[in-house]
């Protein structure tokens, strides 16, 4: 993930400013939702099919296909693994399997013979619409840049301004004042640990980054993420003579995201009193909150074996709270016997408290066109021989927008810049899902494929996509059904451990995920 943190230096813009970055928007939108085992086995291509409780989260008109009520539960298990290529070096990360709950809930149907819309369906369901469990790791040798470069540049501009305004001010006083200024928190941590410093050769003073002075650096990044978005959905659908279906869903997504990250740089040449041995930055970050959205859909059956669907997902309006704690430690490789390791907690520079940020996030609109061809169509489901199905989904990732929950004109400029950056970095993308099922009386086999397009505007350099291959089996008999599916992703993304100031170029890590998952669905008709 992405993938999760585009730049450590982009996290903090000012001492008490917001911690949001453009990647927060992508994390909340560029996801592959879970579902029932049947829906996952066919690549998620269920927009025109219906008759599956996952329809509440894709095209709620599909709930109108139901003729009987049912109870469904879909436990799942994720297998986490990724590979990172950074500066020509390959590394692998992985962790233990994680449990998750796919689409689970209850469907009720009613029949009114005097109504034009005789069949009506209500449902209450929950689903894991985003799975944040993952781990990435990469390392390499870099002779081009350091994560302290932007810190040194930011402090340099501050230093020049102080020198012009107060010519007689000492370097020590300038540093002490900088620790209480509106410089970014990361730069203050760099100053506190002497990663960024002022050196005087007897005639003039110069701002330096000790890591840059070392020349060649070992660099490594590890990020472990957990949690997800669990959405509760309340749906209603109606069926007009099995020719036209109409439905809607109100969704209440609950966000629970945690990230533990570790970044380190060390002198490639080892120790030797060259005034830099290593520096590392660790962070614990969490984001929690709740949102609301709506989904509307229609399905038409112009002929018995063909179904055509259209669904519109409104933006989700999230109210989120972010918390974090951070630590920086630097070893300046001083002479033996002298203090050489300096460590600071972010809270020490923020009045003793770890910061908490409240903000709103609006996600983009989503549009889904679907089609399904039923093999051997029949009103008697047991006589059908299967189907092929396809979804085409359009999402404009640049449409995400951050805002404060209350009017705060002091932060208006920050959010304007952040939203402008989202529009500059991301673009619309098309997602495609394909799948099919073959039915042999009570036994079924299924295959599926899903492709989620590159959300980055600079697609030539930022090569990213999500691609899933899936397969599964199912059994139905006398009102009970059991389905089992495995989904194997082949994902690509990029990760930038830190940003440097333009026109300098950022270094990139290429990430390949293979976070497969298995889903078991058990259901009972009533």
């Amino acid at each position: 993930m992405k993938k999760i943190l585009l730049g450590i230096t982009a996290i903090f813009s000012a001492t008490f400013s917001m911690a949001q970055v453009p990647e927060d928007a992508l994390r909340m939108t560029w996801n592959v939702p879970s579902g029932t085992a049947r829906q996952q086995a066919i690549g998620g291509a269920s927009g025109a099919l219906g008759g599956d409780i996952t329809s509440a989260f894709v095209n709620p008109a599909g709930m109108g296909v139901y003729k009987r009520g049912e109870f469904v539960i879909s436990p799942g298990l994720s297998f986490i693994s990724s590979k990172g290529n950074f500066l020509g070096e390959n590394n692998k990360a992985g962790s233990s399997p994680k449990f998750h709950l796919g689409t689970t809930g209850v469907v009720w149907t009613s029949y009114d013979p005097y109504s034009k819309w005789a069949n009506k369906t209500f449902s209450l369901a929950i689903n894991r619409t985003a799975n944040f469990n993952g781990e990435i790791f990469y390392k390499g040798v870099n002779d081009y840049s350091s994560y302290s470069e932007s810190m040194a540049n930011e402090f340099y501009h501050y230093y020049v301004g102080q020198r012009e305004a107060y010519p007689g001010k000492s370097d020590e006083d300038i540093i002490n004042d900088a620790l209480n200024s509106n410089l970014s928190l990361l730069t203050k941590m760099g100053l506190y640990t002497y990663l960024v410093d002022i050196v005087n050769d007897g005639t003039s003073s110069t701002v330096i980054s000790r890591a840059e002075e070392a020349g060649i650096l070992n660099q490594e990044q590890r990020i472990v993420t957990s949690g997800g978005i669990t959405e509760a959905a309340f749906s209603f659908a109606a069926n007009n003579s099995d020719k036209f279906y109409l439905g809607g869903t109100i969704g209440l997504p609950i966000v629970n995201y945690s990230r533990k990250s570790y970044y380190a740089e060390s002198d490639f040449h080892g120790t030797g009193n060259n005034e830099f041995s290593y520096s590392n930055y660790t962070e614990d970050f969490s984001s929690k909150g709740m949102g609301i959205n709506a989904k509307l859909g229609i399905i038409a059956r112009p002929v018995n074996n063909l179904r055509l669907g259209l669904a519109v997902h409104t933006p989700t309006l999230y109210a989120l709270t972010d918390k974090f704690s951070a630590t920086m430690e630097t070893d300046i490789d001083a002479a033996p016997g002298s203090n050489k390791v300096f460590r600071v907690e972010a809270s020490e520079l923020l009045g003793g408290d770890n910061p908490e940020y409240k903000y709103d996030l609006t996600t983009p609109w989503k549009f889904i066109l679907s089609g399904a061809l039923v093999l051997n169509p029949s009103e008697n489901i047991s006589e059908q021989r299967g189907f092929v199905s396809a979804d085409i989904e359009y999402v404009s990732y640049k449409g995400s927008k951050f805002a404060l929950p209350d009017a705060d004109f002091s932060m208006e400029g920050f959010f304007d810049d952040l939203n402008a950056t989202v529009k500059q970095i991301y673009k619309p993308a098309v997602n495609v899902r394909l799948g099919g099922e073959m039915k042999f009386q009570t036994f079924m086999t299924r295959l599926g494929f899903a492709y989620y397009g590159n959300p980055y505007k600079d697609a030539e350099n930022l090569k990213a996509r999500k691609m899933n291959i899936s397969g599964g089996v199912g059994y139905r008999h006398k009102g009970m059904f059991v389905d089992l599916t495995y989904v194997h992703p082949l994902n690509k993304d990029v990760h930038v451990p830190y940003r440097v100031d333009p026109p300098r170029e950022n270094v990139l890590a290429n990430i390949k995920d293979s976070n497969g998952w298995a889903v078991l669905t058990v259901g009972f008709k009533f």
Side-chain angles (χ1 to χ4, degrees), residues 163-327:
R163 273 276 161 260
E164 292 176 350
Y166 310 102
K169 200 172 188 178
S170 69
D171 291 342
E172 183 178 357
D173 286 341
I174 291 177
I175 291 176
N176 289 334
D177 289 345
L179 294 175
N180 295 293
S181 70
N182 63 350
L183 289 175
S184 69
L185 178 58
L186 200 65
T187 295
K188 293 179 183 180
M189 296 175 80
L191 284 167
Y192 193 96
T193 62
Y194 295 94
L195 176 61
V196 175
D197 204 356
I198 301 173
V199 297
N200 190 304
D201 62 3
T203 58
S204 63
S205 296
T206 304
V207 174
I208 66 164
S209 154
R210 295 184 186 277
E212 288 187 282
E213 294 291 306
I216 305 178
L217 300 170
N218 297 311
Q219 296 178 329
E220 69 175 76
Q221 173 90 77
R222 183 181 296 276
I223 298 176
V224 179
T225 58
S226 61
I229 301 176
T230 300
E231 182 167 327
F234 305 87
S235 303
F236 170 78
N239 171 350
N240 186 338
S241 304
D242 282 320
K243 295 296 183 182
F244 188 76
Y245 308 83
L246 181 66
T249 294
I250 297 297
L252 300 174
I254 300 171
V255 180
N256 183 14
Y257 171 76
S258 296
R259 180 185 68 229
K260 295 182 181 293
S261 60
Y262 171 82
Y263 177 83
E265 291 185 350
S266 62
D267 184 2
F268 175 79
H269 302 290
T271 59
N273 194 26
N274 64 355
E275 297 192 349
F276 180 76
S277 177
Y278 69 81
S279 179
N280 58 54
Y281 174 85
T282 60
E283 179 186 277
D284 283 347
F285 173 88
S286 69
S287 182
K288 298 182 179 182
M290 190 170 181
I292 186 170
N293 59 47
K295 303 173 182 68
L296 300 173
I298 58 174
I299 294 176
R301 193 172 73 160
V303 294
N304 283 344
N305 66 336
L306 179 65
R307 292 177 183 174
L308 302 174
L310 171 65
V312 178
H313 296 192
T314 70
T316 299
L317 307 179
Y318 284 110
L320 300 170
T321 299
D322 292 356
K323 298 179 181 180
F324 80 90
S325 60
T327 303

Side-chain angles (χ1 to χ4, degrees), residues 5 43 47 58 135 161 179 195 205 211 229 259 261 267 309 328 340 352 425 449 469 473 482 492 518-519 521:
L5 184 63
V58 181
E135 180 175 354
L179 294 175
L195 176 61
S205 296
I229 301 176
R259 180 185 68 229
S261 60
D267 184 2
M328 182 182 291
K340 65 173 187 174
I425 293 178
F449 172 80
I469 301 172
V473 294
V482 179
K492 289 183 178 180
V519 183
T521 295

Side-chain angles (χ1 to χ4, degrees), residues 77-81 93-99 133-135 224-225 515-516:
L77 197 63
S78 300
F79 307 93
I80 299 170
S81 177
S95 61
S96 59
K98 302 286 186 180
F99 171 82
N133 294 320
E135 180 175 354
V224 179
T225 58
N515 300 344

Side-chain angles (χ1 to χ4, degrees), residues 340 368 458:
K340 65 173 187 174
I368 306 172
D458 186 10

Side-chain angles (χ1 to χ4, degrees), residues 368-389:
I368 306 172
L369 285 173
S370 308
L373 185 66
V374 179
L375 308 179
N376 191 36
S378 172
E379 295 301 323
N380 186 345
I381 296 177
S382 64
E383 295 178 1
Q384 296 177 1
R385 292 293 173 260
F387 60 81
V388 291
S389 181

